Amino acid sequence: MNWNVGGWFGGQVGATAWILVAAVLTAMRDLSIGMVVLLLFLVPNVIGLMLWASRKFSCYASTQIVIGVSGVCGLATVYVLERANAWMQIQTGGQVSAQSSYWIIGLVFGGLMIMFYLLFGRGSKAP
């Protein structure tokens, strides 16, 4: 696994773009909750930018950190929006319940962490 600008920032922004959209939609209704959600978008992106800039850790370890932080911030976003009664309000078209979203986020980010571990995290045994 090697550092790659497109892969790094594409994955990072791709994993968190929905949080930014939720922040904007929420801020139009409730600025304070929108700002909390914006902070939840910024946390993994600032951490990802710092990891990229320093490259102090391996690409694999840094990827695991960003995936973990993005997953936690995604779950926290759903929690904040659900508690503020904004989760269903900001959805248009089809709606996904908060409970389903917790499962989806947990499975996707957990699955990614397992997949990266199996592909890159087992030292010399990995392909």
Side-chain angles (χ1 to χ4, degrees), residues 53-73:
S54 72
R55 296 191 204 150
K56 210 157 108 173
F57 304 105
S58 70
C59 184
Y60 165 73
S62 297
T63 299
Q64 290 290 72
I65 292 167
V66 169
I67 290 171
V69 172
S70 296
V72 168
C73 287

Side-chain angles (χ1 to χ4, degrees), residues 117 119-127:
Y117 172 76
L119 290 174
F120 305 108
R122 296 181 292 163
S124 61
K125 296 178 195 172

Side-chain angles (χ1 to χ4, degrees), residues 4 14 20 23-24 26-28 30 37 41 46 51-52 55 66 76 94:
N4 174 293
L20 179 60
V24 171
T26 304
M28 292 190 298
D30 184 338
V37 176
F41 166 78
V46 168
L51 289 167
W52 172 266
R55 296 191 204 150
V66 169

Side-chain angles (χ1 to χ4, degrees), residues 16-39:
T16 59
W18 73 272
I19 300 173
L20 179 60
V21 172
V24 171
L25 294 173
T26 304
M28 292 190 298
R29 297 172 184 267
D30 184 338
L31 186 59
S32 61
I33 299 299
M35 292 298 108
V36 171
V37 176
L38 180 63
L39 180 63

